[in-house]
């Protein structure tokens, strides 16, 4: 039962354009959402997060949008740069069945083409 | 900056061997986690620990055990390694967000 889904395994975007990575979740108990970025042979690093009381959070070139009614969040990167090429994981956190859980999606491999 | 150190970047083991993956964090975090990353499956939680000598099963604990004798160290143990445990193993500590180590790519032959 995949509670957090990233339906696009890969995405290719031209340098300078906008990259949009999507993530859907099924459990309405999730109340905090995070994006992590992972380069090959390295551990994931935290990128940006958003609480369920907000619908948008910005940090430089990165913006995360949350649509609670659709149980959908997205990460926008603009403008995209070659160094953004990586695997991006979304994660959802919340009290599920009495326990605090953090659940990751499958990841989306983003490739920025020069 | 938080530092989470995993002792090995690459490991090759044989089926049936006992394998220890070590993880150390330097920020006095109480919560530590072990994940494995497999293509198309994302990060899956194996075990976690909220304090010394405390451990909780994650989503895929079968075939694994853990040890937390000191706050800074969280070890993952494969009692008898199998080929389906070939994976990237990631340790993390938590304080408002997860801080990951660089990962250990384990191959079981």
């Amino acid at each position: 039962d995949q509670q957090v889904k990233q339906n696009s395994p890969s995405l290719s975007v031209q340098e300078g354009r906008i990259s949009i990575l999507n993530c859907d979740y099924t459990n309405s108990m999730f109340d905090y959402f995070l994006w992590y970025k992972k380069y090959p042979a390295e551990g994931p690093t935290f990128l940006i997060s958003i609480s369920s009381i907000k619908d948008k959070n910005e940090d430089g070139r990165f913006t995360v949008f949350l649509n609670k009614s659709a149980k959908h969040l997205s990460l926008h990167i603009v403008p995209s740069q070659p160094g953004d090429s990586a695997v991006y994981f979304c994660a959802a956190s919340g009290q599920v069945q009495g326990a605090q859980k953090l659940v990751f999606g499958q990841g989306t491999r983003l490739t920025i083409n020069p | 900056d938080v530092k989470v150190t995993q002792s090995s970047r690459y490991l090759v083991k044989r089926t049936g061997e006992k394998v220890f993956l070590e993880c150390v964090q330097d920020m006095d975090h109480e919560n530590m986690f072990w994940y494995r990353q497999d293509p198309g499956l994302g990060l899956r939680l194996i075990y976690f620990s909220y304090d010394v000598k405390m451990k909780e099963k994650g989503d895929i604990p079968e075939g694994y055990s853990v040890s937390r004798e000191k706050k800074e160290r969280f070890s993952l143990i494969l009692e008898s390694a199998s080929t389906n445990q070939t994976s990237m193993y990631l340790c993390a500590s938590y304080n408002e967000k997860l801080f990951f180590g660089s990962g250990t790519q384990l191959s079981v032959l």
Side-chain angles (χ1 to χ4, degrees), chain A residues 14-84:
Chain A
Q14 201 74 18
E15 182 179 358
R17 301 283 180 99
I18 183 170
S19 295
I20 300 176
L21 295 97
N22 293 302
C23 181
D24 297 293
Y25 61 97
T26 56
N27 197 322
S28 57
M29 298 302 291
F30 290 135
D31 58 7
Y32 192 65
F33 304 89
L34 309 94
W35 284 94
Y36 281 81
K37 175 180 178 180
K38 186 182 183 300
Y39 292 118
E42 293 184 17
T45 53
F46 171 76
L47 196 56
I48 193 168
S49 62
I50 187 167
S51 164
S52 60
I53 62 173
K54 292 184 160 186
D55 54 18
K56 177 182 170 183
N57 188 26
E58 281 183 86
D59 184 2
R61 296 186 297 113
F62 302 92
T63 304
V64 56
F65 295 92
L66 176 62
N67 182 336
K68 278 189 297 183
S69 60
K71 296 191 179 69
H72 177 84
L73 64 154
S74 60
L75 174 68
H76 292 208
I77 306 172
V78 56
S80 300
Q81 298 174 354
D84 296 329

Side-chain angles (χ1 to χ4, degrees), chain B residues 7-98:
Chain B
S7 53
S8 304
R9 294 297 295 270
Y10 301 95
L11 272 180
V12 180
K13 297 291 180 181
R14 296 206 176 276
T15 302
E17 278 193 77
K18 190 168 186 175
V19 182
F20 291 87
L21 302 182
E22 304 287 349
C23 175
V24 177
Q25 50 98 359
D26 66 356
M27 283 302 291
D28 205 37
H29 291 168
E30 291 181 345
N31 303 314
M32 295 187 74
F33 301 78
W34 275 105
Y35 289 87
R36 62 179 281 179
Q37 182 202 350
D38 300 288
L41 296 175
L43 298 172
R44 294 182 293 166
L45 181 64
I46 305 171
Y47 265 97
F48 59 101
S49 170
Y50 286 137
D51 204 348
V52 175
K53 295 198 187 292
M54 293 187 67
K55 58 186 179 185
E56 296 283 344
K57 292 180 180 179
D59 298 318
I60 51 164
E62 296 80 18
Y64 303 95
S65 62
V66 290
S67 172
R68 185 104 182 263
E69 295 297 318
K70 294 185 178 181
K71 195 174 188 179
E72 67 271 18
R73 187 180 297 271
F74 191 35
S75 304
L76 180 69
I77 304 156
L78 287 66
E79 296 290 341
S80 177
S82 62
T83 54
N84 63 11
Q85 292 179 309
T86 291
S87 185
M88 166 70 82
Y89 289 88
L90 292 157
C91 172
S93 69
Y94 180 84
N95 184 11
E96 297 186 349
K97 56 180 181 280
L98 283 171

